[in-house]
Amino acid sequence: DVVMTQTPVSLSLAIGQPASISCKSSQSLLGTSGKTFLNWILQRPGQSPKRLIYQVSKLYSEVPDRFSGSGSETEFTLKISRVEAEDLGVYYCWQGTHFPTFGSGTKLEIK
Amino acid sequence: QIQLVQSGPELKKPGESLKISCKASGYTFTDYAMQWVKQAPGKGLQYMGWINTQTGKPTYADDFKERFVFSLETSASTAYLQINNLKNEDTATYFCARGIIRGDYWGQGVMVTVSS
């Protein structure tokens, strides 16, 4: 199985500060199609996960542009340019290139 | 709009079985696989597997190859997760999500409690 390693485990940031979350995979996520199926989702407290980013860097239409995704092969990053209160929750990366697996999550708290 | 609506919470005893549902609406059900994800209390997300909604073929992650059954009622745009011979460690919230590669829409989750 592809192991997804997320760091840090938690973040405590003030409103307006930038955030950065790393996700590393144990194998390249570049598929035979030439696409990389690395996704980011956010699970707010008491809610089901919500989609944020697919194929490394593509934002879903409803996601604010303060979010961005980057990376390739085995190293990926989710960035929030300026954290807002609604961004609190647990962020997960997960891959769909191989048999799907999730990262262990990064908890974002607001100071 | 696209929605996945799951059935309600369950309280079961060890050894019992349960079947939870995930009803899709707002899209053609057979255009996307349906995946299942487990979240134990206070823990992260664990991938269980998926079912091909065109063929009905399920694929299970290693930890879910016994006691777990994915099925469909295509005419009702509904996917099911059945858990047999329930154990305490099955206590968790179970989510369905559309598609294998993107998982772009998620159900609200079903909280399952297994306790004697």
Side-chain angles (χ1 to χ4, degrees), chain A residues 63-98:
Chain A
V63 177
D65 62 6
R66 63 178 181 275
F67 287 88
S68 64
S70 62
S72 63
E73 302 278 0
T74 61
E75 298 194 6
F76 305 92
T77 303
L78 173 70
K79 291 188 176 182
I80 310 173
S81 59
R82 297 173 307 279
V83 167
E84 296 193 6
E86 66 182 17
D87 299 337
L88 75 92
V90 181
Y91 291 81
Y92 295 93
C93 62
W94 69 278
Q95 61 83 21
T97 298
H98 309 284

Side-chain angles (χ1 to χ4, degrees), chain B residues 29-82:
Chain B
F29 183 67
T30 51
D31 281 352
Y32 297 84
M34 192 69 76
Q35 57 183 353
W36 291 92
V37 176
K38 175 183 178 181
Q39 187 170 40
K43 301 296 186 183
L45 302 173
Q46 184 178 13
Y47 196 81
M48 300 176 68
W50 72 86
I51 185 165
N52 183 318
T53 54
Q54 292 185 342
T55 64
K57 180 186 175 186
T59 301
Y60 301 98
D62 286 344
D63 287 347
F64 299 97
K65 288 184 175 177
E66 298 181 16
R67 303 188 300 112
F68 297 83
V69 180
F70 304 152
S71 62
L72 302 171
E73 186 178 353
T74 305
S75 62
S77 299
T78 300
Y80 297 95
L81 166 63
Q82 180 169 328

